[in-house]
Amino acid sequence: MHGWASAGPWDVIERSIATGVPPFVLSVVGVLVALTAVLSARFPRKSARPLDDLADDLAAAMRKRSGQEVVERDLTAPLPITWHRASAPIGASARHALTGPFEPLPGAERVTGQELAEGTHKQLYALYAGLPSGRLIIAGPPGAGKSTAAVLLFRDALAAREQAGPEHRSRMPVPILVSPRGWDAITTPFATWIADRIAEVPGLTAKDAARLVAGHRIAVLVDGLDEIGEGLRPVVLRELSRQANLRLVLLSRIDELTGAVRRHPLIGAAGVELRPVDEEVAVDYLLSRLADPPPPAWQKVTDRLRQGPAGPLTGPLKNPFLLTLLRDAYEPLDPVDELLDRRRFRKASQVERHLLDRALATAYASGPDRPPSRYSLRTAQRTLGFLAHHLGRTGADGLKWWNMPPTGPSPPLPALLFALAVWYTTAIPISLLLGLSYRLAEGREITSGLPVGLLMAFLSTFIVIRERKPMPRRVPRRWWRAMFVPRRMLVTLPLGFGLILPLTLLGSALPGVGGWLLTGLAAWLTIELGGSLFAAAQPDDYALDPRRSWRDDAAASTMLAATAATAAFVGGTGFGMHFDVSLPRVLAIGVLGALASAVWLWSVSTTWRTCCRQVEMAVRFRTPLRMRRFLEDARERQVLRTSGPVYQFRHDLLRQHLADTWGGARRSVPRQPGASPGRGAAGRVTGARGRNA
């Protein structure tokens, strides 16, 4: 070492540490022990909270979620839901469904059999609360309203618990609404899976969740058996049958459920089937938001419906989704009676396509109840059509922000452009930062950092292209505790301090015994934290919405980059101390190395990869550059909905229609008869969504 680095303060510090290592180590250990004792006395271990308090906290979180679901699905005045006992073989016999260990919940009566004949969504709560078997199946065809039934039952069960007196509340389980997507029923027991879902609620730990499950303080509503793989459905039914301690409601499309039940039924479950909408209910629903008497065009349509079959219009209006779409797509003064024109609409499929064509025009129209859209109708139809086409081609049930299309093999030119974008956005800043550090250390040209920058850029590009299924990350709860697990430390401590030797050979370790200890500590910290962050992947049914999921991944990537930057700062400082430069330059070299490390780690993060993919989509398919903002806008306009961090179309009919018309949408947007650019109240396209997914 030269100059002040060999005879200045660093030399004094090195000699003082080298001559007193045993006292130094003993002093550090003594300070740590004393600090631990003080903190333990200052922050004593809290006793376990009562189950009643935990259940109340969970219920408060579920009420908030229920309110969000009602607003997002436009269920403040929902389409009436009716049902009858299932004719398809989806449930157990009445004798098995009416026997079991569950006593009626407070305020409910025991179901004896007559209650299974038919009813509305209010009677669904009576079945949930009074079935002795504690198990209920709700099924129906696509668009029948099963997700609406799930949300309304979820809301009613929470309201009944809230209205119960304190003396009865402990006997009222807290309902939770979950999707089976992401549950590996082959390896993960039901109780463990449910506890993991509950533990995602802020304020509840994994131990709290396990106590709530073991204490029978929850009831489970599983919506979407049809959304998982065909081979996994019987396994899920088998695992649900094995648990006997929690009330359970299962909702699914009837065809998919029937196929799974043939292989493994849900033992003891009473099965009910949602009815199609009859003419009188449809008329009442259409007139519910119109003045009395209704405008002539609406009067003509409702009169025809009351008189009996109204030609091709009758079939689509039996589907709750299309019925709601009709109500939302036409303003009170619009010519809704055009749907009775037998020359334009000869088949029910033509009416259906017409209503679906108007869906986006309605959703993206400006008006008094919604702000002007950032996106034109042409852009919305082109982008949503492309996304629908992508989902249909891949068989995915939703769009994951971390796995933006296009996926799979790409044409050579777009793939090359994507690789070059990753390469240059990594190579240029890293080469510049390292070149500046070499210039400060030895006076080299700035281009001297180019070889290392190009190598790191090559590694970034290789990782991004090769990892076909990236997973978003999150900062695990109490991540600092995982760093001090003895089994992990037995591996990571030797590995971290073992890096001192190669770093010394490379001239990047701080000099002296104290410098080695600090270098090893920085390496160990990076390995420990990096391991915990990379292990904390978000499952597909992660309880947060896409925005929170995105932010969590960005936070995890930033935290890992900051930790690696700290280690790189230590290495960069050690590198700078080997040259005859001043202390400010040594610190500047460390900072430049830290920034280069942070840039490289951020370049392989899921968030940055998604940004690059959005640029590629914008170039290839003319989608909006800020795709996540577009998806959020579509969700607010009720064209999309969210399931955890995944975006989904409100209804499969809409997704299939957009996918089918994607090619035409890229050329032009068909003008909708009667559609006016200033429509507003019509804009809730898929209030539809909620009523019938």
Side-chain angles (χ1 to χ4, degrees):
M1 200 175 302
H2 305 285
W4 70 268
S6 59
W10 290 106
D11 191 53
V12 175
I13 295 173
E14 181 182 344
R15 287 200 303 269
S16 64
I17 294 177
T19 57
V21 170
F24 174 75
V25 173
L26 291 175
S27 299
V28 171
V29 171
V31 170
L32 291 176
V33 171
L35 183 61
T36 302
V38 171
L39 291 177
S40 299
R42 179 68 180 82
F43 303 103
R45 244 175 151 182
K46 295 182 179 180
S47 58
R49 296 175 60 196
L51 275 179
D52 288 345
D53 292 348
L54 294 177
D56 288 343
D57 288 351
L58 177 61
M62 293 300 104
R63 283 196 300 272
K64 181 179 179 181
R65 179 184 173 188
S66 171
Q68 292 172 342
E69 292 280 356
V70 167
V71 171
E72 185 175 324
R73 296 173 183 266
D74 192 20
L75 298 180
T76 51
L79 180 67
I81 288 178
T82 58
W83 53 268
H84 61 87
R85 185 171 180 179
S87 56
I90 60 173
S93 65
R95 181 171 64 86
H96 291 95
L98 299 177
T99 57
F102 289 87
E103 294 295 326
L105 295 179
E109 297 182 358
R110 189 182 187 90
V111 174
T112 59
Q114 295 179 351
E115 296 88 347
L116 288 173
E118 60 181 3
T120 66
H121 81 270
K122 293 188 178 298
Q123 281 72 48
L124 287 178
Y125 174 76
L127 299 183
Y128 158 86
L131 271 172
S133 67
R135 296 178 176 180
L136 175 64
I137 292 177
I138 304 173
K146 66 177 184 62
S147 290
T148 296
V151 172
L152 295 179
L153 178 56
F154 182 44
R155 181 192 65 181
D156 292 346
L158 286 167
R161 185 182 187 278
E162 187 174 8
Q163 293 166 7
E167 67 279 7
H168 296 306
R169 196 165 295 162
S170 61
R171 294 176 51 204
M172 301 283 285
V174 180
I176 62 172
L177 180 61
V178 296
S179 166
R181 289 187 309 105
W183 175 26
D184 185 358
I186 298 175
T187 60
T188 306
F190 173 80
T192 302
W193 172 63
I194 288 298
D196 289 343
R197 302 285 71 76
I198 297 173
E200 300 292 352
V201 175
L204 295 178
T205 66
K207 290 183 178 179
D208 294 336
R211 289 177 60 209
L212 286 169
V213 174
H216 312 159
R217 294 302 187 93
I218 65 167
V220 184
L221 282 66
V222 182
D223 180 21
L225 183 73
D226 50 279
E227 296 176 358
I228 63 176
E230 182 178 355
L232 191 58
R233 293 170 198 154
V235 181
V236 168
L237 291 176
R238 183 192 66 197
E239 290 303 312
L240 293 178
S241 294
R242 287 177 176 176
Q243 72 84 22
N245 300 322
L246 304 176
R247 292 182 184 271
L248 177 68
V249 180
L250 178 67
L251 299 102
S252 174
R253 292 181 179 177
I254 195 164
D255 290 341
E256 289 85 347
L257 178 62
T258 303
V261 165
R262 289 195 188 101
R263 297 178 57 184
H264 202 295
L266 182 57
I267 298 173
V272 300
E273 185 176 345
L274 298 176
R275 293 181 183 273
V277 180
D278 62 36
E279 287 79 2
E280 195 58 40
V281 171
V283 168
D284 289 343
Y285 184 67
L286 292 175
L287 297 178
S288 62
R289 296 189 182 182
L290 297 173
D292 189 23
W298 286 93
Q299 186 70 63
K300 185 176 180 180
V301 169
T302 53
D303 286 346
R304 285 287 300 275
L305 288 173
R306 283 196 176 104
Q307 292 168 6
L313 182 61
T314 301
L317 295 194
K318 291 183 178 295
N319 184 303
F321 170 72
L322 294 174
L323 175 62
T324 307
L325 199 58
L326 168 63
R327 186 205 63 186
D328 293 341
Y330 283 90
E331 290 272 347
L333 299 180
D334 284 345
V336 66
D337 56 341
E338 67 183 0
L339 296 173
L340 300 175
D341 186 349
R342 298 295 294 271
R343 290 176 297 179
R344 286 185 58 191
F345 303 104
R346 299 178 182 179
K347 301 178 181 179
S349 59
Q350 292 175 316
V351 176
E352 180 180 306
R353 286 196 300 270
H354 175 75
L355 293 176
L356 292 170
D357 281 339
R358 293 184 65 110
L360 292 189
T362 302
Y364 282 87
S366 60
D369 65 338
R370 60 176 58 244
S373 175
R374 296 187 179 97
Y375 309 98
S376 67
L377 178 58
R378 184 184 298 274
T379 298
Q381 189 162 1
R382 181 176 61 246
T383 304
L384 292 168
F386 163 67
L387 296 177
H389 169 78
H390 164 74
L391 294 180
R393 180 174 61 84
T394 60
D397 60 350
L399 182 68
K400 305 170 184 177
W401 66 261
W402 61 92
N403 196 15
M404 284 284 186
T407 58
S410 299
L413 182 57
L416 177 62
L417 292 176
F418 178 66
L420 289 176
V422 176
W423 177 288
Y424 283 112
T425 54
T426 307
I428 293 175
I430 291 179
S431 298
L432 181 61
L433 291 169
L434 294 180
L436 286 173
S437 66
Y438 284 129
R439 186 175 184 83
L440 291 175
E442 297 182 291
R444 298 185 192 177
E445 297 292 333
I446 289 184
T447 55
S448 58
L450 190 59
V452 180
L454 292 177
L455 176 61
M456 297 180 73
F458 172 79
L459 292 176
S460 299
T461 306
F462 180 79
I463 292 172
V464 169
I465 293 177
R466 289 287 296 175
E467 191 176 0
R468 296 183 179 179
K469 294 183 178 180
M471 289 296 294
R473 306 291 170 183
R474 54 178 170 156
V475 179
R477 292 182 178 179
R478 297 177 176 83
W479 53 269
W480 58 90
R481 292 185 180 180
M483 300 173 60
F484 300 100
V485 176
R487 288 181 299 178
R488 292 186 59 173
M489 293 183 69
L490 287 175
V491 176
T492 56
L493 268 177
L495 182 59
F497 282 90
L499 291 175
I500 295 176
L501 179 59
L503 290 175
T504 301
L505 295 177
L506 293 172
S508 295
L510 293 175
V513 177
W516 290 349
L517 290 175
L518 184 58
T519 303
L521 182 63
W524 167 73
L525 179 66
T526 303
I527 294 171
E528 273 284 5
L529 185 56
S532 65
L533 289 174
F534 271 98
Q538 300 177 18
D540 284 3
D541 58 348
Y542 193 46
L544 302 180
D545 59 35
R547 287 177 295 182
R548 287 284 305 279
S549 175
W550 171 284
R551 292 168 185 168
D552 272 12
D553 182 79
S557 301
T558 302
M559 188 172 181
L560 181 57
T563 306
T566 303
F569 174 76
V570 174
T573 303
F575 173 78
M577 290 174 60
H578 288 76
F579 300 92
D580 187 11
V581 294
S582 62
L583 177 60
R585 287 200 174 195
V586 170
L587 297 178
I589 292 171
V591 170
L592 291 171
L595 290 175
S597 175
V599 168
W600 184 79
L601 276 172
W602 185 259
S603 71
V604 298
S605 69
T606 307
T607 310
W608 174 247
R609 187 176 338 200
T610 299
C611 292
C612 293
R613 185 64 73 187
Q614 290 179 9
V615 173
E616 180 189 1
M617 291 169 58
V619 172
R620 293 179 61 186
F621 303 105
R622 293 187 297 151
T623 60
L625 184 60
R626 300 178 63 180
M627 176 59 75
R628 193 171 64 86
R629 188 176 73 170
F630 172 83
L631 296 175
E632 280 298 308
D633 182 74
R635 183 186 64 80
E636 292 174 0
R637 295 176 182 280
Q638 302 193 20
V639 178
L640 300 177
R641 65 187 176 104
T642 58
S643 177
V646 180
Y647 291 99
Q648 297 175 332
F649 281 89
R650 292 307 190 201
H651 196 280
D652 276 347
L653 285 176
L654 182 61
R655 179 187 62 78
Q656 292 169 3
H657 178 73
L658 290 172
D660 292 341
T661 58
W662 178 49
R666 287 187 294 173
R667 294 188 295 270
S668 63
V669 177
R671 297 178 60 86
Q672 305 303 328
S676 58
R679 315 174 55 86
R684 305 226 179 240
V685 75
T686 26
R689 139 198 66 135
R691 287 175 251 281
N692 329 319

